[in-house]
Each structure stands twice: as structure tokens, then as C-alpha cells.
Amino acid sequence: MSSRDTTASEITPEVLLRAYACGIFPMAESADDPSLFWVEPEQRGIFPLDGLRISSRLARTVRSDRYRVTINTTFERVISECAAPQPGREDTWINRRIRKLYGALHEIGHCHSVEAWDGDDLVGGLYGVSLGGAFFGESMFHRSRDASKVALVHLAARLIAGGFGLLDTQFVTEHLRSLGAIEVSRRKYRALLDRSIQLPGDFFALSVERPISGADVLAIVRSKSDPA
């Protein structure tokens, strides 16, 4: 379900957060389209935090610390990379208005980026919105093999350590499904969302001042999937 918005001045960061709390989010038709429309999918994509699928190859990459992972060090670059054309996706729903809105959310502490670096090169990352114990993944990109997947694993560990209850992916693609994403009904999603936004989620439970090793990240994620 979606509805067109034509009044740019009415959407503020506060309105955006209230929309997320109700289970809806904005998109644009294209990067050049100045308008937004609200979306509330019948089937919602989520990553169960106890069901992330990490292949043996990806686990080796994470454990090797091939990519240095940082938090919120270059938010604008991450959203720009997410908006850029990629193989198989020539256009984007991230327009100038979305970039401005989510930049404002970042400034007030409700939108975060996870960055993967190969030396001094930004080669992957993602960004999303946090509200209570819910994290709404918006977009991700990669310029090097598995870089965005490594960022996702680091994000999942951070959410688990911070007591989050929801990692929202909005929609499920085959790529996300291979990593453990599933679809749930709107009714089930709303119940999960209502519980999660009441949680005191702490996005900074893991340090952002020093790198978290891949081995520690994997241990956190696996402790959630196999508590015993």
C-alpha cells in the first residue's frame, strides 16, 4: 500500500519518526523525482536477529578483518554511494529530498551508517534508522566483494549487543533472503514493531571509538542464534 505526498514542507524528521513508529516509510520514484510517497507493504521484510545466515566463506572474511568497519564516520558518503547506480540497478529511489531528511535524522541521532573500508577506500556500507529497539535498514552498497555483507554482520552484532528486537529490511530480495531475511504479514510486523520500539535499544552498546574484531562480532551473532 502506498500514498503520494505532494507537500514537501510537511515532512520533518519528527514526522518521519512517527511514520516509522506506525510501520510506514517514504520512497521516491527516482533520484530526479522531487516528490515522495508513503509505503506500507502487505508483506514486510525483516532479519530475525537469531536467524542471520553467515556462510563459511563470509565468516572467514568477517573473522579475517579484511575490511575495517566503522560507524557514523562518513554518513553522507554512504547515502551517496547507496544512491549511485549499481550493477542491476540503474536508478534509485533515493532522491535529494530523502538525502536531506535522513541527513537531518542523522544529526539528531536517529540515523546511522556502517562503513566497510579497504585501506583508505570506502568499499561498502549501509545506513538506517533507529527508534527504541527497532532498526530500519534503508539501503546498502558494495564496491568490493562481500563488503556490504560484512557491514550487515557488524550491524547485527551491534543490534544484538544493544538489546534491539527488530531489524527491518522493508522488502526481501533474493540477495537478502540468502542472508536470512524473511517476510512477515503486516499484522505480525506491527506487533513486533510495537514491542521493539518500546525497548531501550542502545546502538552504541559496542564501542565506536575502537574497531570491533570480526571474531568478536561473529561470537555475538552466534550467541543469539545458539544461546546454549
Side-chain angles (χ1 to χ4, degrees):
M1 183 176 72
S2 64
S3 61
R4 173 71 57 177
D5 165 65
T6 58
T7 53
S9 62
E10 292 183 1
I11 301 181
T12 64
E14 292 73 23
V15 168
L16 196 51
L17 290 176
R18 288 198 294 272
Y20 275 101
C22 294
I24 62 178
F25 56 89
M27 295 185 72
E29 290 289 355
S30 69
D32 297 326
D33 185 350
S35 65
L36 300 179
F37 58 93
W38 295 106
V39 181
E40 185 182 17
E42 290 285 349
Q43 295 291 314
R44 191 69 167 244
I46 66 168
F47 271 114
L49 288 170
D50 59 356
L52 195 65
R53 293 179 190 163
I54 304 175
S55 69
S56 57
R57 190 195 74 201
L58 178 57
R60 286 195 299 271
T61 302
V62 173
R63 191 180 295 108
S64 73
D65 293 319
R66 172 185 172 186
Y67 301 119
R68 176 173 56 91
V69 177
T70 58
I71 305 295
N72 290 342
T73 65
T74 182
F75 178 85
E76 290 185 3
R77 282 186 65 189
V78 169
I79 197 169
S80 292
E81 290 285 357
C82 288
Q86 297 188 44
R89 190 196 71 191
E90 298 306 314
D91 206 351
T92 177
W93 53 268
I94 302 173
N95 65 4
R96 182 176 301 178
R97 190 172 165 201
I98 281 179
R99 292 169 68 163
K100 183 177 179 180
L101 274 171
Y102 287 86
L105 278 185
H106 175 66
E107 290 177 3
I108 63 174
H110 280 285
C111 199
H112 307 287
S113 58
V114 181
E115 306 103 11
W117 303 83
D118 186 355
D120 293 329
D121 296 327
L122 180 65
V123 294
L126 58 85
Y127 77 97
V129 175
S130 64
L131 184 62
F135 189 90
F136 309 89
E138 288 296 312
S139 189
M140 58 200 306
F141 80 96
H142 71 277
R143 302 294 182 199
S144 186
R145 183 175 181 175
D146 288 343
S148 61
K149 293 180 182 179
V150 170
L152 175 64
V153 176
H154 275 255
L155 171 66
R158 182 167 293 276
L159 300 184
I160 291 167
F164 281 69
L166 172 64
L167 174 50
D168 179 330
T169 70
Q170 299 178 347
F171 303 103
V172 173
T173 63
E174 287 306 309
H175 171 68
L176 296 179
R177 196 183 303 277
S178 71
L179 294 167
I182 63 172
E183 288 183 329
V184 297
S185 68
R186 182 183 296 168
R187 181 177 179 180
K188 185 173 181 178
Y189 174 79
R190 282 287 190 88
L192 179 58
L193 173 63
D194 290 345
R195 290 195 302 270
S196 297
I197 61 175
Q198 299 303 318
L199 297 173
D202 181 4
F203 191 78
F204 301 104
L206 296 181
S207 174
V208 296
E209 302 299 327
R210 60 178 181 81
I212 308 299
S213 74
D216 286 344
V217 162
L218 289 172
I220 292 169
V221 172
R222 286 170 174 165
S223 72
K224 182 71 172 179
S225 60
D226 185 15

